[in-house]
Amino acid sequence: MVSSWCYFILPVVLLIGLFRKCRARTWGTCKNTENLEGRVCIVTGANSGIGKETVKELAKRNATVILACRNLQNARTAISEIRTQISTGKLVPMKLNLASFLSIKEFAAEVIQNFAKIHVLINNAGVYVPFKEHALTEDGFEIHFGINHLGHFLLTNLLLDHLQQSAPSRIVIVTSKLYESGVIDFSNLNGEKGLVVKGRMNPAYCNSKLANTYFGFELAKRIEKSGVNVYIVCPGFTYTGLFRNVKRSWFHYIIFSPIALLYLRTANQGAQTVLHCAIEPSLCNETGNIYRDCKLYVSKKKLDTDVAVRLWDVSVQLTRLKETMK
């Protein structure tokens, strides 16, 4: 005899599945499938999550992809896994530790030496660590600000001449809608005065995503008409290893499961807007805009031009960019 629970559970599961499928249709898909042979792309944080799925999609299109990862063995493992599904494209593992300015400089120098052109730089890597742990980069910066913003700021600027010489080329900066909850406090960029934690939100992460957004906004202005376009991407609420350092109880997982089924994207779904901005030809005349769901995203949070310029200048000082580029 069929349990009466089945008559309740089955329709609910079917309803959730149908609702999720309808939502997924609004998330957007990169429709461009042109052959990218001869195009060289860099993806940071390429061994897992959105980064790995972006690599897969680029490889399908026959691109040469540099997997820039903190752990070189993880990059090689990711390549082995990708090769079980995709045989096209050229995949190159390279070590890049965004928590170390020295590693960033060494990576950039190696790229410039070994690759005549770089057509796409995808700044995807990111960390999310409970703020109470007070984690720091090797250079002494608060880990979110140091890796998510300063690391990519330095990397991009070190590769900028190479990208300009390879024009038309693109820079894709992965942010998050959480940037709308961030603040840029120039007296507390490193969280040295502490940060106010509201609910379960990590203010340091939100602030770093706002810094990413300001960086993309200002970078686009500074290199306008150089042949290098800048795209700022919110991939959407995506299931990746980003939150692996956040400890949750079994109760949280039970409460969270229905929300996850309805709203949580797979890593491949999260990669679609990243890929769209990296390769879609119709965007060739666009730069400095924010994208979500493979279309322009209009935020309620207005960016302040003065803050963008000041953050740029402070980032130059903190990374010692001018000294590095002499």
Side-chain angles (χ1 to χ4, degrees):
M1 183 176 179
V2 179
S3 170
S4 60
W5 277 101
C6 292
Y7 293 109
F8 171 75
I9 294 174
L10 187 58
V12 170
V13 171
L14 291 173
L15 185 62
I16 290 175
L18 180 62
F19 184 74
R20 177 178 172 82
K21 193 169 184 178
C22 291
R23 281 196 59 81
R25 293 173 69 90
T26 70
W27 291 338
T29 302
C30 178
K31 296 186 171 81
N32 186 271
T33 58
E34 70 178 65
N35 191 311
L36 299 176
E37 186 173 5
R39 306 286 287 179
V40 181
C41 309
I42 298 173
V43 182
T44 68
N47 61 282
S48 64
I50 290 172
K52 184 178 176 182
E53 292 301 318
T54 301
V55 172
K56 283 183 181 179
E57 296 293 341
L58 292 169
K60 282 181 186 176
R61 293 160 173 82
N62 214 25
T64 295
V65 189
I66 299 170
L67 288 80
C69 303
R70 180 172 57 87
N71 186 302
L72 199 55
Q73 185 53 51
N74 287 347
R76 291 173 178 144
T77 299
I79 290 173
S80 296
E81 292 171 357
I82 291 170
R83 284 304 185 213
T84 64
Q85 305 170 43
I86 302 159
S87 61
T88 53
K90 182 179 180 182
L91 305 180
V92 183
M94 289 183 65
K95 183 172 182 178
L96 170 65
N97 180 4
L98 287 162
S100 164
F101 290 165
L102 178 59
S103 175
I104 295 168
K105 293 170 189 175
E106 291 175 344
F107 172 84
E110 189 176 351
V111 166
I112 292 168
Q113 180 179 349
N114 295 331
F115 295 88
K117 291 187 176 183
I118 296 294
H119 301 98
V120 181
L121 170 61
I122 300 176
N123 290 334
N124 161 76
V127 295
Y128 186 106
V129 178
F131 183 68
K132 63 183 179 181
E133 294 185 11
H134 301 293
L136 303 175
T137 67
E138 291 184 11
D139 302 284
F141 295 101
E142 190 280 320
I143 199 162
H144 300 89
F145 181 65
I147 290 178
N148 297 354
H149 172 59
L150 290 180
H152 281 124
F153 177 88
L154 178 60
L155 173 66
T156 303
N157 277 284
L158 291 178
L159 293 175
L160 194 53
D161 283 347
H162 215 52
L163 283 156
Q164 290 174 333
Q165 292 166 14
S166 308
S169 52
R170 301 186 180 195
I171 298 169
V172 179
I173 298 171
V174 179
T175 183
S176 164
K177 194 172 183 290
L178 290 176
Y179 87 82
E180 295 175 342
S181 300
V183 295
I184 300 296
D185 180 354
F186 289 101
S187 68
N188 193 34
L189 285 176
N190 228 20
E192 56 267 41
K193 296 181 181 178
L195 294 171
V196 178
V197 179
K198 297 179 181 179
R200 298 193 175 276
M201 198 171 292
N202 182 336
Y205 181 79
C206 296
N207 295 350
S208 72
K209 292 291 103 179
L210 179 57
N212 286 158
T213 306
Y214 268 120
F215 171 44
F217 175 71
E218 182 63 17
L219 177 63
K221 289 175 61 178
R222 289 176 181 250
I223 62 173
E224 190 177 7
K225 297 180 181 179
S226 69
V228 183
N229 286 356
V230 180
Y231 306 89
I232 307 159
V233 172
C234 169
F237 188 29
T238 305
Y239 180 75
T240 68
L242 180 65
F243 301 104
R244 60 185 174 275
N245 295 310
V246 180
K247 294 178 175 57
R248 300 286 189 220
S249 68
W250 62 269
F251 179 73
H252 288 120
Y253 285 104
I254 292 175
I255 296 297
F256 180 70
S257 292
I259 298 173
L261 286 170
L262 293 174
Y263 298 102
L264 198 62
R265 309 180 193 208
T266 65
N268 187 267
Q269 289 169 328
Q272 293 303 308
T273 306
V274 176
L275 186 68
H276 175 73
C277 290
I279 67 173
E280 173 55 44
S282 66
L283 301 182
C284 65
N285 294 319
E286 303 292 330
T287 189
N289 295 318
I290 304 172
Y291 291 82
R292 180 184 168 98
D293 301 330
C294 293
K295 60 187 178 184
L296 278 173
Y297 174 70
V298 180
S299 173
K300 294 179 180 179
K301 187 180 185 77
K302 300 300 181 183
L303 299 181
D304 186 322
T305 302
D306 292 338
V307 171
V309 172
R310 187 177 175 188
L311 180 62
W312 182 283
D313 292 340
V314 169
S315 300
V316 168
Q317 294 171 9
L318 295 177
T319 58
R320 298 182 178 178
L321 181 62
K322 291 181 178 178
E323 296 174 27
T324 301
M325 298 183 74
K326 283 182 179 178

